[in-house]
């Protein structure tokens, strides 16, 4: 396609120019289709047949471009605009920047840490929480496990479905030490999965969050309510 475009720039052959125009239009429509519907080639084998049957009106996309609509904002509007999708994308941008700066430091193994403790592992924990914004960047370097560190750790634990004890025991330690490259891969996959969903209609939305074991109600104005769910080990078939 690139070679065809290069050739067309040096030619007055109308058939070549028409071919370039068709190629450009087809490429643009394909990009819009992928952005809106999540039918990315690398994921096609994993998609539900209903997702593969979805489509966009390519003529409408092309008519917008022909009318002078800037391409970048037009394609951006085709992406999902739900709060969850935008939050994942924002976190992905943050982690990519962290990776470019060398990633986050690993916390050395050792005994559990709690408020009042001190030492090199506490300094590592503070630095790790500070790297991803759980602890304010303005927090001074220290090797003391104070209340701000406990609060930052509780926030991290809540966001990762870990009991918010504010203590550094094996489970949060393992989660904190997941490499940034792995987190980026997870966020990228989740970002694509959000494209597979149908548009969420206006109004109140009820969401069952199995990861955090809670039921959430989200209103259009952003007001949210949440109820914890009790997850039992037993399971029964319902006729």
């Amino acid at each position: 396609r690139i070679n065809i475009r290069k050739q067309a720039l040096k030619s007055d052959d109308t058939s070549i120019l028409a071919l370039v125009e068709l190629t450009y239009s087809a490429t643009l429509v394909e990009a819009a289709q992928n952005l809106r519907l999540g039918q990315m080639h690398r994921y096609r084998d994993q998609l539900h047949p209903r997702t593969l049957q979805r489509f966009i009106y390519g003529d409408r996309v092309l008519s917008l471009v022909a009318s002078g609509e800037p391409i970048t904002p037009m394609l951006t509007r085709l992406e999902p605009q739900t709060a969850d999708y935008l939050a994942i994308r924002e976190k992905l941008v943050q982690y990519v920047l962290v990776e470019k700066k060398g990633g986050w430091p690993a916390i050395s193994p050792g005994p559990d840490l709690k408020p009042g403790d001190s030492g090199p592992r506490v300094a590592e924990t503070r630095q790790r929480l500070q790297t991803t914004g759980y602890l304010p960047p303005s927090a001074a370097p220290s090797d003391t496990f104070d209340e701000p560190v406990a609060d930052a750790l509780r926030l991290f634990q809540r966001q990762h479905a870990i009991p918010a004890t504010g203590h550094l025991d094996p489970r949060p330690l393992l989660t904190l030490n997941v490499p940034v490259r792995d987190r980026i891969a997870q966020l990228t996959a989740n970002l694509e999965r959000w494209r597979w969903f149908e548009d969420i209609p206006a109004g109140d939305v009820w969401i069952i969050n199995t990861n955090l074991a809670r039921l959430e109600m989200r209103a259009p104005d952003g007001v949210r309510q949440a109820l914890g769910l009790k997850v039992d080990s037993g399971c029964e078939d319902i006729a």
Side-chain angles (χ1 to χ4, degrees):
R1 291 174 178 176
I2 294 176
N3 289 333
I4 291 174
R5 292 175 187 176
K6 287 181 178 178
Q7 182 181 1
L9 293 175
K10 302 176 182 178
S11 173
D12 294 328
D13 188 331
T14 56
S15 63
I16 294 180
L17 294 174
L19 180 59
V20 170
E21 180 63 30
L22 290 172
T23 302
Y24 172 78
S25 298
T27 303
L28 179 62
V29 171
E30 181 183 19
Q33 185 99 346
N34 289 340
L35 280 171
R36 184 66 187 90
L37 307 181
Q39 297 176 7
M40 313 300 284
H41 292 297
R42 63 181 294 189
Y43 295 110
R44 286 186 70 88
D45 294 341
Q46 305 174 34
L47 297 183
H48 191 279
R50 184 180 63 183
T51 301
L52 294 175
Q53 293 171 2
R54 299 169 65 192
F55 66 95
I56 64 168
Y57 293 98
D59 57 337
R60 296 183 183 177
V61 173
L62 296 177
S63 65
L64 287 173
V65 176
S67 66
E69 177 82 10
I71 293 179
T72 298
M74 182 198 70
L75 293 178
T76 300
R77 289 200 304 272
L78 290 171
E79 291 185 290
Q81 297 299 311
T82 61
D84 296 277
Y85 178 88
L86 297 176
I88 293 173
R89 188 174 65 181
E90 181 180 357
K91 183 64 69 173
L92 178 59
V93 170
Q94 177 190 1
Y95 282 6
V96 169
L97 292 176
V98 169
E99 184 187 36
K100 289 182 178 179
K101 294 179 181 179
W104 48 59
I107 303 172
S108 304
D112 295 355
L113 295 176
K114 61 184 183 303
D117 291 340
S118 60
R121 294 182 65 243
V122 175
E124 293 173 351
T125 303
R126 294 179 67 98
Q127 186 180 359
R128 169 62 180 86
L129 293 170
Q130 202 166 24
T131 300
T132 45
Y134 291 98
L135 196 63
S138 58
S142 173
D143 63 354
T144 300
F145 198 125
D146 53 19
E147 196 56 35
V149 172
D151 289 340
L153 191 54
R154 290 188 190 98
L155 177 59
F156 176 88
Q157 290 168 326
R158 284 194 295 269
Q159 292 187 357
H160 290 79
I162 301 173
T165 62
H167 295 185
L168 185 67
D169 50 47
R171 186 175 175 186
L173 175 62
L174 182 65
T175 307
L176 283 164
N177 278 345
V178 172
V180 65
R181 173 43 41 186
D182 292 354
R183 289 298 185 202
I184 289 175
Q186 292 172 348
L187 290 171
T188 302
N190 287 330
L191 201 64
E192 288 302 326
R193 290 189 182 107
W194 264 106
R195 301 178 196 270
W196 306 356
F197 294 108
E198 301 288 347
D199 290 333
I200 298 178
D204 295 345
V205 177
W206 292 90
I207 298 176
I208 299 177
N209 190 328
T210 55
N211 185 46
L212 299 180
R214 67 183 183 185
L215 175 66
E216 299 179 356
M217 192 281 284
R218 303 182 185 179
D221 60 0
V223 176
R224 296 176 52 177
Q225 295 179 345
L227 298 173
L229 300 177
K230 181 179 180 182
V231 181
D232 296 324
S233 58
C235 180
E236 296 182 0
D237 291 331
I238 299 177

